[in-house]
């Protein structure tokens, strides 16, 4: 451990990790949240984040198509930079894009991060609710009738 006299900060040297936290342990989600604690701050001026356990949702709102697209692109750039600087990779198999549209709107955006296209979906489960791109609740009601 070294102390930087100019900044009055203490830092550790890099080393090889030989132990970890078992998957499913109580400590895992806490350490995950500590690790990604600055992510919401990075994108807070352009998007909102919802973090629950190890799931993160990014919410971008704008009724102007051009402003929405610009905010979306800027958010993807910021996320890409954050992942790279934190030595993380995004699991594209578990990453989706859901755009809420009115019945008059029909143009879906395409979303890419680090030259990989994010899968567009029409509905998803979010904190136990099934929501779709038109917020009709039809899928949620159908699944919970049984």
């Amino acid at each position: 451990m070294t102390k930087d006299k100019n900044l009055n900060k203490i830092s550790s040297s890099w080393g090889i990790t030989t132990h970890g936290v078992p998957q499913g342990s109580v400590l895992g989600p806490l350490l995950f949240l500590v690790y990604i604690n600055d992510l919401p701050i990075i994108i807070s001026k352009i998007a909102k984040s919802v973090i629950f356990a190890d799931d993160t949702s990014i919410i971008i709102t704008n009724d102007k198509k051009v402003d929405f697209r610009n905010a979306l692109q800027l958010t993807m750039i910021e996320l890409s930079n954050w992942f790279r600087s934190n030595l993380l990779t995004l699991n594209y198999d578990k990453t989706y894009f859901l755009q809420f549209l009115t019945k008059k709107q029909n143009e879906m955006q395409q979303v890419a991060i680090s030259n990989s296209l994010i899968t567009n979906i029409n509905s998803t489960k979010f904190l136990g609710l099934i929501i779709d791109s038109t917020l009709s609740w039809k899928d949620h009601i159908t699944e919970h009738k049984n």
Side-chain angles (χ1 to χ4, degrees), residues 6-25:
N6 296 331
L7 298 175
N8 200 23
K9 291 184 177 181
I10 296 175
S11 62
S12 300
S13 57
W14 286 94
I16 296 173
T17 304
T18 57
H19 295 81
V21 178
Q23 186 171 354
S25 73

Side-chain angles (χ1 to χ4, degrees), residues 33-84:
L33 291 174
V34 168
Y35 194 76
I36 67 160
N37 191 42
D38 64 331
L39 176 63
I41 297 165
I42 299 297
I43 61 169
S44 65
K45 289 188 169 122
I46 47 178
K48 295 182 185 209
S49 60
V50 177
I51 300 173
F52 182 77
D54 63 348
D55 287 332
T56 303
S57 297
I58 308 296
I59 301 170
I60 301 169
T61 58
N62 203 306
D63 56 352
K64 295 178 182 157
K65 194 181 341 181
V66 172
D67 293 340
F68 175 74
R69 180 174 286 186
N70 290 340
L72 185 58
Q73 288 175 341
L74 185 56
T75 302
M76 293 300 108
I77 291 167
E78 292 295 335
L79 287 173
S80 181
N81 291 339
W82 184 88
F83 272 91
R84 190 172 35 261

Side-chain angles (χ1 to χ4, degrees), residues 58 60 62-65 68-69 72 96-102 105-111 119-124 131-135:
I58 308 296
I60 301 169
N62 203 306
D63 56 352
K64 295 178 182 157
K65 194 181 341 181
F68 175 74
R69 180 174 286 186
L72 185 58
Y96 306 102
F97 174 70
L98 173 63
Q99 183 177 354
F100 299 107
L101 301 167
T102 64
Q105 296 172 312
N106 58 8
E107 184 182 337
M108 293 292 287
Q109 298 287 327
Q110 294 240 321
V111 181
T119 304
N120 281 340
I121 56 172
N122 290 319
S123 68
T124 190
I131 55 175
D132 64 31
S133 61
T134 62
L135 293 176

